[in-house]
Amino acid sequence: MYDYQYFGSIELYSTLVNSKNIKFCIDSLYLKALHPNRTRIYGPNGLISLSVPLLGGRNQRGLFKDVRVADDGKWRRIHWRSIHDSYRKSPWFEELGWRVELLYQKPAGFLYDWNLGCMQFCFETLKLKTDILAHYPCSDNGDPLPSTKDLHPIDDINYPTYQQVFMDRFGFMANLSILDLLFCEGPGAIDYLLKLNQYKNSISS
């Protein structure tokens, strides 16, 4: 079982790449520490952290399924502009960029719906035939079952590299948003995720 992420990390997708179905518990408590409303991209001035604003602020106290996005449209324009400026010179922006832009033209209601839409876009782009079970029951005590907080990413220093847009300025940045890999590698992203998954398994065995 995994937590919803806003255009989740490469680490997350390398874990999901061989999954036939994935299960999410949206009846669990919202956990700020997992940053489900945040993603990281590689911009012309370095690392950019994008956060979806939440109704009632970031210190949410309640169930994940009840968390709403504070959507006046401004944040969607800002996020899309950041993505555009970061990846417009990437090899696969012309093919994928307009599809990402369409996502940001749609109003966002609940955070889990927004994150689900982002994940479905990524699965379609990666051509992954994976079923998403969004309303899977939690454990008996109401806590979320094992999730992304239980993952153990490999050290950034040993992370396999790929060519990034601003790599010549700041070097390679590991484990960013899956968007970084999709824009930079296109169809090759799936091979990268499979190799990363295999590499992680080899160093953990």
Side-chain angles (χ1 to χ4, degrees):
M1 179 171 291
Y2 299 93
D3 298 289
Y4 280 116
Q5 291 184 8
Y6 168 35
F7 278 124
S9 67
I10 292 171
E11 160 72 11
L12 173 64
Y13 279 86
S14 72
T15 302
L16 300 179
V17 71
N18 288 321
S19 301
K20 293 183 178 179
N21 59 70
I22 54 177
K23 303 169 183 177
F24 293 93
C25 175
I26 62 173
D27 290 323
S28 63
L29 292 176
Y30 177 85
L31 298 176
K32 174 186 172 183
L34 296 179
H35 306 301
N37 65 324
R38 187 181 302 176
T39 193
R40 303 184 311 154
I41 62 175
Y42 195 162
N45 296 311
L47 187 66
I48 299 175
S49 180
L50 302 175
S51 296
V52 177
L54 304 178
L55 200 63
R58 59 184 180 179
N59 296 316
Q60 298 288 319
R61 297 181 182 276
L63 301 181
F64 191 99
K65 68 178 182 179
D66 297 325
V67 176
R68 289 179 176 270
V69 176
D71 192 11
D72 59 0
K74 183 178 179 180
W75 72 269
R76 287 185 282 114
R77 291 192 295 273
I78 292 173
H79 284 209
W80 165 244
R81 177 52 57 183
S82 296
I83 292 169
H84 175 274
D85 292 349
S86 297
Y87 296 108
R88 62 189 178 88
K89 293 184 179 180
S90 66
W92 296 94
F93 184 81
E94 184 174 349
E95 181 168 331
L96 299 178
W98 66 273
R99 292 173 55 204
V100 177
E101 184 180 14
L102 287 178
L103 288 175
Y104 286 94
Q105 292 175 351
K106 300 176 182 177
F110 290 96
L111 180 62
Y112 79 84
D113 278 334
W114 172 257
N115 287 1
L116 177 60
C118 294
M119 175 167 279
Q120 289 174 328
F121 164 82
C122 294
F123 279 4
E124 290 171 4
T125 304
L126 291 166
K127 294 180 169 49
L128 293 178
K129 299 185 182 301
T130 307
D131 292 325
I132 302 175
L133 308 178
H135 296 271
Y136 199 76
C138 301
S139 57
D140 293 339
N141 62 5
D143 293 329
L145 293 168
S147 62
T148 50
K149 67 181 182 296
D150 301 308
L151 297 177
H152 302 286
I154 62 176
D155 193 295
D156 284 358
I157 297 176
N158 297 317
Y159 221 89
T161 63
Y162 56 90
Q163 188 63 42
Q164 295 173 316
V165 179
F166 301 105
M167 198 171 175
D168 59 332
R169 298 187 191 180
F170 307 106
F172 178 72
M173 290 190 183
N175 198 26
L176 298 177
S177 166
I178 186 65
L179 283 178
D180 188 82
L181 184 65
L182 292 176
F183 281 130
C184 293
E185 291 292 303
I190 187 66
D191 289 332
Y192 180 90
L193 293 172
L194 289 168
K195 290 177 181 177
L196 178 59
N197 182 278
Q198 185 179 31
Y199 176 66
K200 290 192 303 178
N201 290 336
S202 69
I203 63 176
S204 63
S205 59

